Amino acid sequence: MQSAQVSLINYLQSGGSIYFEGTEFGYYHAPGGSYNYGLWEYLGTQFGGDGNQVNNVSQVIGQDQWYGAAMHFGYPYGQEPDYYVDIFTPSGAGSLQQFSDQLDRGRVVSHVGATRGYRTIVSGVCFCAFSENAPMSTQQRLMNRIVNFLLGDDAVPPASSGS
């Protein structure tokens, strides 16, 4: 295992949090990939497959779990952010599907490490490519939720505000 991965695992075991994003993250880093260094067991995420060369995602739909709850974004179907978008599913306790695409294929998974309390997010879709659907589904609102989740400040949606 390379020292960067050892450092990352030590960081997570110390209660750290991390966000991974990329259309080919799973393809290259999952077991059998070019850069697999044993990190996946810490991510609570399973690589479900490499996406098509193009025409993968037109919508990114939040699942009922918090932080993705009630969010819905457009995605640039057939354009560069839509190339080879990886599929991810939850793996084990503490893992939740946060966002799926228009065909209900998993694209974003969150995980809370049971014994160490670290938090991770693995995303096959690019946040910057999300098309907003105001007022509820905006990038600012989603980023606030992501940061609060990663910091452990906001694990359950507020009952009164719905945000």
Side-chain angles (χ1 to χ4, degrees):
M1 188 179 302
Q2 293 185 354
S3 63
Q5 279 70 29
V6 171
S7 296
L8 180 58
I9 289 170
N10 289 338
Y11 168 73
L12 291 174
Q13 288 179 336
S14 297
S17 296
I18 195 158
Y19 177 96
F20 288 109
E21 174 182 291
T23 60
E24 290 281 63
F25 180 79
Y27 177 77
Y28 285 109
H29 295 278
S34 303
Y35 305 101
N36 175 35
Y37 300 109
L39 182 61
W40 286 89
E41 67 184 271
Y42 291 91
L43 301 178
T45 304
Q46 183 173 340
F47 172 60
D50 197 23
N52 299 325
Q53 180 178 359
V54 70
N55 299 334
N56 293 281
V57 180
S58 64
Q59 298 176 51
V60 182
I61 304 161
Q63 302 305 293
D64 290 337
Q65 292 73 249
W66 186 246
Y67 66 86
M71 295 232 164
H72 188 164
F73 295 91
Y75 201 75
Y77 191 73
Q79 299 174 39
E80 192 170 344
D82 186 42
Y83 298 174
Y84 296 106
V85 180
D86 289 338
I87 299 168
F88 295 114
T89 57
S91 175
S95 298
L96 297 170
Q97 191 76 55
Q98 291 293 341
F99 287 91
S100 296
D101 65 17
Q102 70 282 356
L103 298 176
D104 202 31
R105 295 172 294 197
R107 300 300 181 172
V108 182
V109 174
S110 67
H111 177 70
V112 178
T115 58
R116 305 286 186 176
Y118 62 86
R119 293 167 180 263
T120 65
I121 295 172
V122 176
S123 176
V125 288
C126 300
F127 175 82
C128 66
F130 287 18
S131 300
E132 295 189 350
N133 186 8
M136 183 61 183
S137 299
T138 64
Q139 287 176 311
Q140 180 177 356
R141 184 181 292 267
L142 177 56
M143 185 54 68
N144 285 337
R145 287 181 176 182
I146 289 170
V147 169
N148 287 331
F149 169 79
L150 290 172
L151 293 174
D153 292 341
D154 202 358
V156 178
S160 59
S161 70
S163 62

